[in-house]
Amino acid sequence: MTAAFTVRVSDETADKLNQIAEKLDRSRAYMAAEAIEAFVEKQEWQLAEIEAGLAEANRGEFASDDDVAKVVGKYVKSARQS
């Protein structure tokens, strides 16, 4: 099942969407739906990761000082060698 609704975008964005749709031989509606679906998937994933991180923090699950120092040391050494 699908739902239909109206979205307002700038003329510039609409023009770019039209150009992309034409190059890919797709409709503007198809391209907009694909973009919205990709955005929703990304946001769902990101929010789930944030919530998982917050749950870990609430349980007191943190990296040790030594773990953090190792990671920082790795990148500090890499930056100095460049």
Side-chain angles (χ1 to χ4, degrees), residues 60-72:
E61 298 173 8
F62 296 98
S64 70
D65 291 345
D66 288 338
D67 292 336
V68 173
K70 286 177 187 175
V71 171
V72 170

Side-chain angles (χ1 to χ4, degrees), residues 35-78:
I36 291 169
E37 288 175 14
F39 174 81
V40 168
E41 286 179 23
K42 181 179 177 182
Q43 294 302 311
E44 281 184 323
W45 171 84
Q46 189 171 23
L47 290 170
E49 291 295 314
I50 291 168
E51 289 169 354
L54 289 172
E56 289 174 6
N58 288 335
R59 291 190 303 268
E61 298 173 8
F62 296 98
S64 70
D65 291 345
D66 288 338
D67 292 336
V68 173
K70 286 177 187 175
V71 171
V72 170
K74 175 182 171 184
Y75 290 104
V76 170
K77 288 178 189 175
S78 296

Side-chain angles (χ1 to χ4, degrees), residues 8-26:
R8 296 195 182 280
V9 297
S10 69
D11 289 341
E12 180 181 354
T13 299
D15 289 342
K16 289 178 182 179
L17 181 60
N18 286 333
Q19 291 172 12
I20 293 168
E22 187 175 315
K23 288 177 183 179
L24 296 176
D25 195 28
R26 297 289 187 172

